[in-house]
Amino acid sequence: MAITFFDLVDKDGRRYSPYGWRVRMALAHKRLDAAVEFCWHSDKQKLNFSGQHLLPVLLDGERAVSDSWTIACYLDEAYPDRPMLMDGVQGRSFAKFINGWTDTIIGRPLVRSLYLDILKSLHPSADAQEFRRRREGRNGMTLEALYANRAKDFDELNHAMTPLNELLRQQPFVAGGEPAYADFIIFGTLQMPRHLNGIDPLSEQQDGVRRWRDQVRRLFNGLADSV
Amino acid sequence: MAITFFDLVDKDGRRYSPYGWRVRMALAHKRLDAAVEFCWHSDKQKLNFSGQHLLPVLLDGERAVSDSWTIACYLDEAYPDRPMLMDGVQGRSFAKFINGWTDTIIGRPLVRSLYLDILKSLHPSADAQEFRRRREGRNGMTLEALYANRAKDFDELNHAMTPLNELLRQQPFVAGGEPAYADFIIFGTLQMPRHLNGIDPLSEQQDGVRRWRDQVRRLFNGLADSV
């Protein structure tokens, strides 16, 4: 059966969604081909078939699955003969913890610093006003002030990364000797700044994370470097 | 073969070491009996046989193993037919990450708030001066100031705990449906304040962590409540 993967694209054709990257890497890990259907930030009607309006969405035959975490679990359940994204109960608990940790502790300070670049990339630009209004309301600062505050946010991110860096000084991948979904979760989030403004949030101290990131970029014939 | 477990005890007989608790819970999980040998903070000569001076130490027959993480790995390797502490490569990676995360991100703000209580518990009290000098040098504050600063440290700890709380809202134990070493790592660290000064660092928002902590206290016939 054919798989269609609905991923976010900005007006310049960039695919920066951390959740989209998680699914792309997951599909490659499972050796599954998927046709890609690009959606803008506000292309909500295109996703009506999925019963919700958020990206990414996977359409596998007749089955629509949304939310990157749910998609990863679905892929392991639907394709257990392919390489597993999560191994055993503890492997799944690990990925689940890393998913929450990445989205809250790592993702929040990072994404705040990127709002201004996301704003500039929105298409159609009529979305921009609503995007700005919501983010500024939530953070109590203008997007320009959030961008200017990024050094402080990066300090917070780098402090939080200490245990990850320590782990990656001792083993090649987050999951162990081989990459798995826990790796793709964090990697997906680190793809955001790379595609949006090229500013690297990792400090020089993150030698383990930097080496690992280079390794993950080379996986699947350099999939992460191909765009 | 007989196992001897060298654990830290303070002058009031309290066993508050987070690393000691990890090993105690691990031994119970593996259904292994061990004779306990109590050591004071500065009982270093008693551990000479282990080639180092830090607690906990396990002496299994002729084999001395130090460092709680190394002990946990040793127990799974030496007793693979007993319940496993870590399951598979990803389960081990999970526990390793949680070990680093607990010691740095959770442990540091917590332990700073407890130095004054540890100081009071040292035996012989001649150790106290050296203990104070080192901790105050490292933190650039008096132990009294660190204690007074605990609300700020607890805020930091509770923020860092967000993804753990989220996980424990969705599943009974850190490791999954059943407890395992990842659980004992975090639990061990939370035993410190309980035994040292009774101040609970967890905020009201940590409903998942609180419910889980109650469950872990009841494991192994209430081992963690027995002291």
Side-chain angles (χ1 to χ4, degrees):
Chain A
M1 275 192 308
I3 299 177
T4 308
F5 166 38
F6 294 77
D7 196 16
L8 183 72
V9 71
D10 73 5
K11 69 175 178 187
D12 304 311
R14 295 178 301 190
R15 296 165 70 183
Y16 66 81
S17 162
Y19 313 110
W21 274 106
R22 292 175 195 178
V23 174
R24 289 177 82 176
M25 301 296 279
L27 286 166
H29 181 89
K30 302 288 292 184
R31 316 282 190 260
L32 289 167
D33 285 322
V36 182
E37 186 81 39
F38 295 116
C39 301
W40 296 325
H41 201 268
S42 60
D43 249 354
K44 299 179 181 178
Q45 66 280 24
K46 213 179 200 174
L47 303 174
N48 278 346
F49 71 92
S50 71
Q52 53 88 61
H53 63 276
L54 298 172
L55 291 163
V57 173
L58 207 72
L59 184 62
D60 189 4
E62 303 280 295
R63 173 79 178 268
V65 191
S66 58
D67 178 76
S68 60
W69 172 255
T70 310
I71 291 171
C73 294
Y74 167 78
L75 289 175
D76 269 354
E77 280 154 31
Y79 300 96
D81 298 336
R82 308 284 185 126
M84 293 299 278
L85 290 161
M86 297 172 247
D87 207 25
V89 172
Q90 292 183 16
R92 189 165 164 147
S93 295
F94 186 20
K96 202 168 187 172
F97 178 82
I98 288 288
N99 205 70
W101 178 78
T102 305
D103 289 348
T104 57
I105 305 295
I106 302 298
R108 279 183 201 159
L110 180 62
V111 172
R112 283 198 292 262
S113 77
L114 295 168
Y115 282 149
L116 202 57
D117 293 281
I118 298 174
L119 180 86
K120 288 175 196 159
S121 84
L122 292 176
H123 182 96
S125 44
D127 291 349
Q129 211 176 343
E130 179 63 9
F131 180 91
R132 179 186 281 277
R133 196 186 61 75
R134 283 202 193 177
R135 269 71 183 178
E136 294 188 342
R138 200 186 295 158
N139 290 278
M141 284 169 101
T142 65
L143 302 192
E144 287 76 7
L146 286 167
Y147 178 76
N149 196 46
R150 68 188 182 282
K152 203 161 156 277
D153 278 331
F154 291 174
D155 282 348
E156 183 182 324
L157 175 149
N158 280 290
H159 171 67
M161 280 241 175
T162 313
L164 184 73
N165 193 49
E166 203 49 53
L167 181 74
L168 290 170
R169 279 176 174 165
Q170 294 172 66
Q171 61 187 48
F173 295 100
V174 180
E178 302 292 331
Y181 195 60
D183 292 271
F184 307 148
I185 294 167
I186 307 165
F187 182 79
T189 286
L190 293 177
Q191 286 285 77
M192 280 196 92
R194 191 167 187 226
H195 285 270
L196 278 167
N197 64 15
I199 299 175
D200 190 351
L202 297 183
S203 71
E204 287 301 321
Q205 281 69 52
Q206 305 287 349
D207 55 311
V209 180
R210 286 167 172 274
R211 183 210 43 73
W212 160 84
R213 185 175 59 178
D214 288 343
Q215 287 294 111
V216 179
R217 282 180 185 163
R218 284 190 213 107
L219 294 174
F220 317 125
N221 296 316
L223 171 67
D225 267 333
S226 65
V227 204
Chain B
M1 275 193 307
I3 299 178
T4 309
F5 165 38
F6 294 77
D7 195 17
L8 183 72
V9 71
D10 74 5
K11 69 175 177 189
D12 303 312
R14 296 177 300 190
R15 296 165 71 182
Y16 66 81
S17 163
Y19 313 110
W21 273 106
R22 292 175 194 178
V23 173
R24 289 177 83 175
M25 302 295 279
L27 286 166
H29 182 89
K30 302 288 293 185
R31 316 281 189 260
L32 289 166
D33 284 324
V36 182
E37 185 81 38
F38 295 116
C39 301
W40 295 325
H41 201 268
S42 61
D43 248 354
K44 297 179 183 178
Q45 65 281 25
K46 212 179 201 174
L47 303 175
N48 278 346
F49 71 92
S50 71
Q52 53 88 61
H53 63 275
L54 298 173
L55 290 163
V57 173
L58 207 72
L59 184 62
D60 189 4
E62 303 280 295
R63 173 82 178 266
V65 191
S66 59
D67 177 77
S68 61
W69 172 256
T70 310
I71 291 170
C73 294
Y74 167 78
L75 290 174
D76 268 354
E77 280 153 33
Y79 300 96
D81 298 336
R82 308 284 185 125
M84 293 299 279
L85 291 161
M86 297 172 248
D87 206 25
V89 172
Q90 291 182 18
R92 188 165 164 147
S93 295
F94 185 21
K96 201 168 189 172
F97 179 82
I98 288 290
N99 205 69
W101 177 78
T102 305
D103 289 348
T104 58
I105 305 296
I106 302 299
R108 281 184 200 157
L110 179 63
V111 172
R112 283 197 292 263
S113 78
L114 295 167
Y115 282 148
L116 202 60
D117 294 281
I118 297 175
L119 180 87
K120 288 176 197 156
S121 84
L122 291 176
H123 182 97
S125 45
D127 292 349
Q129 208 175 347
E130 178 64 8
F131 180 91
R132 178 186 281 276
R133 197 186 61 76
R134 285 202 193 177
R135 269 69 182 178
E136 294 189 342
R138 200 186 295 157
N139 290 279
M141 283 169 102
T142 65
L143 302 191
E144 286 76 6
L146 285 167
Y147 179 75
N149 197 46
R150 67 190 181 283
K152 203 160 155 275
D153 278 331
F154 291 174
D155 282 349
E156 184 182 323
L157 176 149
N158 280 290
H159 171 66
M161 281 240 174
T162 313
L164 184 73
N165 193 49
E166 203 47 55
L167 181 74
L168 290 169
R169 280 176 175 166
Q170 294 172 65
Q171 60 186 49
F173 295 100
V174 180
E178 301 293 331
Y181 196 60
D183 292 89
F184 307 147
I185 294 168
I186 306 166
F187 182 79
T189 286
L190 293 178
Q191 287 285 77
M192 280 195 91
R194 191 170 188 224
H195 286 270
L196 278 166
N197 65 14
I199 299 174
D200 190 351
L202 297 183
S203 70
E204 287 302 320
Q205 280 69 50
Q206 305 288 349
D207 56 310
V209 180
R210 287 167 172 274
R211 183 211 41 74
W212 160 84
R213 185 175 59 180
D214 287 343
Q215 287 294 111
V216 179
R217 281 181 187 163
R218 283 190 213 107
L219 293 174
F220 318 124
N221 297 315
L223 171 66
D225 267 334
S226 65
V227 205

